[in-house]
């Protein structure tokens, strides 16, 4: 039978019985046709759970005859027949230790050693070895060495993707195969538009594993290409894409918009791990997307009972970090409280601390669970879990302690021992916009005439640092910053640069919002100086006039 007609008929068949009946009617088959038949059997008979009908396939006389021929005539097979059969038999879960598989593998490796395999053959052999032996397979390095001698520009997208996968497991030192990777990255950039969602995900994952931080143009192109594939990625593929963008620090507004369209429509069919990764992406990139967050909240309320503890934390922490309460907040946190009551002991100590800390940022107080958090036993568990009681952990513990002290006066449980409290909260270096602070200080100097009337970056006894502090006496006159007597009012200026807000938003981040709330409860008059109010003011006088209205709205005696 003509090969073209054979494959046309073969591909129209949908069960192994139909395929075996068809093969019985064919008098003579080339090895390519026979291996194609095995591949078609694997396509119709294998699903995510394995072989659907093992007896009906493996015990079939036609199947056994094909395997017998492949085993004992392996040296006579074409490269395509040999490697296609090997791939199909791996998919059909044939025992890797069987004489059949050993014969095919041995023949493939012999031809590799003699340099008889094309790029397509090398990729097929590499894929089979990865499947059978995993990353430890020594032959993969031999295949990669052959590959780097080839002209990459002539490769198909599938061959390029397979090479990335092999390099992932063969590169052991940073510079190894870097010349080959540079060529691969350059050619990949030219074919990005041809890549399927699966190939896009694999390449991005490989770029992360191989630390290709210099491949920014390729990452950018893959990000833009991902936008139109958002709804076609599987859960695992989308996780790879998001992890790559987090690793490379990449963020595109069009990608966020694509997520905002896709997530609300698909949230109830998405795997919780994928949703957790989406929330982690939003959290780290400080992207407050109300469509995504509102949909995630509804999903949590509906399905959280089946989530792992890490997934529960992954869903919730971003709400606190980005300081957002969805419309369904009351139901959301009622559901969370129910889960904590039944599964509290299942959480890893650090995961539980992160979760409860994020709740207090948005004024959801976990008072029923704080006795556990402040107990010596839990603190010992935290210390035992790497990296132990580091500055992040002690800052979170201290903030929980300060929150219940200031905002939950009815709490009568155990308190946090002083030895676990920080002297000052951990503040990211970037959280203070130095340029904006200098503009405000210059405006204040113009307004108050002397530098002694305000102080900047002041540490308080309450763990917070105040950006600028102004002291007033009982009659409202400004006192020198160093004076401690007769202080009737303290004004805390919060000089909030862009990095204290969610991206493209006027929504304060959770840690900054709780700081301003606590400073008020500690007796400060908090005056917020956000970047978006001051950035358009063109000169020092304008800034001084603005500060006058913000700080002293009822005072007219100050001459600007």
């Amino acid at each position: 039978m003509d090969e073209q007609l054979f494959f046309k008929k073969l591909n129209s068949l949908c069960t192994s019985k139909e395929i075996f009946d068809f093969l019985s009617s064919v008098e003579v088959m080339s090895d390519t046709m026979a291996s194609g038949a095995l591949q078609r059997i694997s396509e119709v008979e294998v699903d995510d759970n394995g072989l659907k009908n093992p007896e009906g396939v493996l015990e079939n006389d036609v199947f056994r005859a094909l395997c017998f021929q492949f085993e004992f005539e392996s040296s006579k097979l074409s490269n395509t027949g040999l490697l296609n059969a090997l791939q199909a038999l791996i998919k059909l879960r044939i025992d890797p230790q069987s004489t059949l598989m050993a014969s095919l593998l041995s023949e493939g490796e012999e031809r590799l050693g003699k340099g008889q395999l094309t790029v397509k053959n090398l990729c097929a052999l590499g894929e089979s070895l990865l499947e059978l032996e995993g990353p430890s397979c020594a032959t993969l390095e031999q295949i990669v060495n052959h590959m780097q001698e080839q002209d990459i520009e002539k490769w198909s997208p599938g061959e390029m993707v397979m090479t990335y996968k092999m390099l992932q497991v063969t590169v052991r030192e940073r510079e190894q195969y870097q010349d080959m990777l540079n060529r691969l990255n350059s050619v990949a950039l030219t074919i990005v538009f041809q890549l399927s969602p699966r190939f896009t995900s694999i390449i991005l994952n490989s770029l992360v594993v191989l630390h290709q931080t210099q491949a920014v143009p390729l990452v950018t192109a893959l990000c833009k290409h991902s936008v139109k594939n958002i709804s076609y990625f599987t859960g695992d593929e989308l996780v790879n894409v998001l992890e790559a963008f987090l690793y490379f620090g990449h963020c595109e507004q069009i990608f966020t918009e694509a997520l905002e369209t896709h997530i609300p429509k698909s949230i109830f069919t998405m795997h919780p791990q994928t949703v957790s990764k989406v929330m982690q992406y939003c959290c780290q990139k400080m992207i407050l997307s109300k469509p995504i967050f509102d949909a995630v909240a509804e999903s949590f309320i509906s399905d959280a009972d089946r989530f792992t503890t890490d997934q529960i934390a992954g869903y919730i922490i971003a709400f606190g970090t980005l300081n957002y309460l969805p419309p369904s907040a009351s139901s959301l946190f009622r559901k969370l409280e129910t889960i904590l009551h039944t599964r509290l002991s299942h959480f890893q100590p650090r995961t539980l601390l992160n979760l409860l800390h994020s709740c207090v940022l948005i004024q959801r107080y976990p008072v029923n669970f704080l006795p556990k958090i402040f107990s010596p036993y839990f603190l010992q568990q935290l210390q035992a879990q790497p990296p132990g009681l580091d500055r992040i952990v002690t800052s979170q513990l201290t903030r929980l302690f300060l929150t219940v002290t200031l905002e939950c006066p009815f709490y009568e449980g155990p308190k946090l021992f002083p030895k676990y409290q920080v002297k000052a909260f951990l503040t990211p270096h970037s959280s203070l916009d130095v340029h904006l602070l200098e503009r405000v200080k210059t405006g204040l100097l113009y307004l108050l005439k002397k530098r002694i009337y305000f102080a900047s970056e002041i540490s308080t006894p309450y763990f917070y640092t105040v950006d600028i502090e102004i002291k007033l006496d009982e009659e409202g006159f400004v006192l020198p910053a160093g004076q401690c007597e007769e202080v009737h009012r303290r004004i805390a200026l919060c000089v909030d640069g862009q990095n204290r807000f969610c991206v493209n938003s006027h929504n304060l981040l959770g840690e900054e919002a709780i700081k301003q709330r606590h400073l008020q409860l500690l007796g400060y008059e908090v005056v917020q100086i956000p970047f978006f109010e001051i950035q358009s003011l063109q000169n020092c006088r304008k800034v001084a006039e603005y500060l006058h209205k913000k700080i002293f709205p009822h005072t007219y005696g100050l001459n600007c």
Side-chain angles (χ1 to χ4, degrees):
M1 181 182 277
D2 175 71
E3 275 199 13
Q4 198 170 352
L5 284 174
F6 174 86
F7 281 110
K8 187 176 180 180
K9 174 67 175 173
L10 180 68
N11 291 328
S12 71
L13 304 176
C14 299
T15 67
S16 56
K17 184 179 184 308
E18 290 176 345
I19 295 169
F20 289 135
D21 288 344
F22 169 57
L23 295 178
S24 300
S25 69
V26 180
E27 290 184 15
V28 180
M29 273 188 289
S30 67
D31 64 345
T32 310
M33 293 159 73
S35 64
L38 289 177
Q39 286 192 311
R40 183 60 185 159
I41 292 165
S42 72
E43 287 167 8
V44 300
E45 285 295 337
V46 177
D47 60 19
D48 292 340
N49 299 315
L51 196 54
K52 289 186 269 189
N53 179 19
E55 275 190 31
V57 174
L58 304 183
E59 300 300 320
N60 182 277
D61 289 340
V62 176
F63 181 80
R64 291 165 72 96
L66 284 173
C67 291
F68 182 86
Q69 210 165 358
F70 277 112
E71 180 178 346
F72 292 101
E73 297 187 12
S74 59
S75 62
K76 299 177 184 176
L77 300 173
S78 66
N79 288 340
T80 302
L82 172 72
L83 296 165
N84 284 355
L86 184 59
Q87 287 180 309
L89 293 167
I90 290 170
K91 198 173 177 184
L92 287 164
R93 310 290 200 275
I94 302 301
D95 181 5
Q97 306 301 321
S98 65
T99 53
L100 167 61
M101 297 298 278
S103 174
L104 294 177
L105 276 172
S106 172
E107 183 62 31
E109 290 177 359
E110 188 177 328
R111 295 184 193 188
L112 169 67
K114 292 177 179 176
Q116 295 174 349
L117 302 181
T118 65
V119 168
K120 186 176 181 180
N121 300 151
L122 290 167
C123 288
L125 180 58
E127 188 170 13
S128 297
L129 290 169
L130 268 175
E131 190 71 34
L132 281 177
E133 300 182 33
S136 59
C137 176
T139 311
L140 287 169
E141 194 160 348
Q142 197 179 343
I143 294 174
V144 171
N145 288 334
H146 279 281
M147 297 288 284
Q148 71 177 337
E149 298 167 4
Q150 310 295 324
D151 184 356
I152 296 175
E153 291 184 1
K154 294 179 180 176
W155 294 0
S156 69
E159 289 161 357
M160 293 186 69
V161 166
M162 193 60 233
T163 305
Y164 273 115
K165 287 177 75 172
M166 288 190 287
L167 283 166
Q168 265 185 253
V169 299
T170 52
V171 172
R172 291 175 182 81
E173 298 171 11
R174 280 289 179 104
E175 299 305 315
Q176 192 180 12
Y177 297 115
Q178 191 55 57
D179 287 345
M180 182 183 185
L181 274 164
N182 290 341
R183 287 190 291 138
L184 202 55
N185 294 340
S186 296
V187 177
L189 183 58
T190 66
I191 61 153
V192 164
F193 66 96
Q194 298 178 37
L195 297 175
S196 66
R198 178 170 164 268
F199 284 179
T200 302
S201 166
I202 290 171
I203 291 178
L204 280 168
N205 180 242
S206 297
L207 294 174
V208 171
V209 174
L210 294 163
H211 310 291
Q212 295 299 289
T213 49
Q214 78 291 344
V216 176
L218 178 55
V219 174
T220 305
L222 288 167
C223 176
K224 290 177 178 173
H225 183 62
S226 297
V227 170
K228 60 186 177 187
N229 287 322
I230 283 280
S231 56
Y232 301 106
F233 285 122
T234 65
D236 288 343
E237 288 165 1
L238 183 56
V239 166
N240 279 346
V241 171
L242 293 169
E243 284 180 340
F245 295 160
L246 287 171
Y247 177 82
F248 289 106
H250 198 75
C251 186
E252 291 270 354
Q253 181 62 25
I254 54 169
F255 183 77
T256 302
E257 289 167 2
L259 282 175
E260 287 179 335
T261 302
H262 173 63
I263 303 294
K265 289 190 299 188
S266 312
I267 189 75
F268 289 102
T269 58
M270 292 175 72
H271 193 281
Q273 196 60 38
T274 309
V275 179
S276 294
K277 184 58 68 174
V278 170
M279 293 302 275
Q280 183 193 350
Y281 174 78
C282 290
C283 194
Q284 289 192 24
K285 296 294 183 184
M286 299 191 298
I287 298 167
L288 174 54
S289 166
K290 292 182 182 180
I292 293 175
F293 279 49
D294 292 351
V296 168
E298 294 295 339
S299 168
F300 187 91
I301 294 163
S302 172
D303 300 326
D305 292 319
R306 63 186 178 88
F307 296 172
T308 67
T309 52
D310 282 344
Q311 288 163 358
I312 290 165
Y315 270 61
I316 297 296
I317 286 171
F319 286 95
T321 304
L322 303 187
N323 185 30
Y324 177 66
L325 287 171
S328 59
S330 57
S331 300
L332 175 68
F333 287 94
R334 193 159 51 244
K335 181 72 173 183
L336 176 61
E337 186 169 11
T338 302
I339 289 171
L340 287 173
H341 273 299
T342 56
R343 298 172 64 187
L344 190 68
S345 61
H346 299 176
F347 284 83
Q348 286 293 312
R350 191 146 186 165
T351 305
L352 182 60
L353 178 62
N354 285 335
L355 178 59
L356 298 186
H357 175 262
S358 71
C359 291
V360 300
L361 299 180
I362 42 178
Q363 295 177 278
R364 291 298 181 269
Y365 308 114
V367 287
N368 293 327
F369 310 106
L370 289 179
K372 176 182 174 74
I373 297 294
F374 295 149
S375 72
Y377 176 66
F378 183 81
L379 294 168
Q380 286 170 7
Q381 285 183 306
L382 271 177
Q383 195 155 15
Q385 184 183 353
L389 290 172
D390 62 10
R391 189 78 186 278
I392 294 172
V393 166
T394 49
S395 287
Q396 289 179 331
L397 287 167
T398 306
R399 192 174 278 111
L400 278 172
F401 165 68
L402 186 59
T403 299
V404 293
T405 304
L406 295 175
E407 301 186 61
C408 307
F410 52 86
Y411 173 75
E412 295 179 350
K415 303 290 171 67
L416 183 67
F417 294 126
K419 70 175 183 177
Y420 296 111
Q421 298 173 21
V422 291
K423 289 186 172 61
F425 284 126
L426 181 67
T427 306
H429 177 69
S430 60
S431 71
L432 184 61
D433 184 330
V434 178
H435 176 68
L436 184 63
L437 182 68
E438 286 305 314
R439 284 199 73 195
V440 173
K441 283 161 67 174
T442 304
L444 277 176
L445 186 58
Y446 191 98
L447 179 66
L448 302 176
K449 307 306 181 190
K450 290 186 179 179
R451 181 66 180 80
I452 62 167
Y453 290 120
F454 62 92
S456 59
E457 299 179 71
I458 298 298
S459 296
T460 70
Y462 314 107
F463 318 109
Y464 289 112
T465 300
V466 174
D467 296 334
I468 294 177
E469 183 183 60
I470 298 172
K471 298 174 181 176
L472 305 179
D473 66 13
E474 196 168 353
E475 296 178 12
F477 290 107
V478 180
L479 297 171
Q483 185 170 326
C484 297
E485 302 81 24
E486 301 178 0
V487 178
H488 186 68
R489 293 161 58 199
R490 292 175 186 268
I491 298 174
L493 298 192
C494 293
V495 183
D496 295 330
Q498 267 182 300
N499 41 20
R500 289 183 179 176
F501 294 86
C502 300
V503 170
N504 301 325
S505 163
H506 295 172
N507 196 77
L508 270 179
L509 295 172
E511 289 194 1
E512 190 59 31
I514 198 173
K515 171 186 171 180
Q516 295 184 18
R517 198 164 73 237
H518 284 177
L519 287 175
Q520 279 187 313
L521 291 168
L522 289 163
Y524 283 92
E525 293 177 30
V526 175
V527 177
Q528 190 187 11
I529 312 292
F531 75 95
F532 50 84
E533 289 182 359
I534 204 171
Q535 62 187 0
S536 61
L537 302 178
Q538 295 169 351
N539 55 47
C540 186
R541 181 184 177 84
K542 293 282 186 189
V543 172
E545 289 173 353
Y546 163 81
L547 292 171
H548 183 192
K549 289 174 186 172
K550 290 284 286 195
I551 305 168
F552 308 107
H554 307 299
T555 306
Y556 303 98
L558 291 169
N559 177 24
C560 286

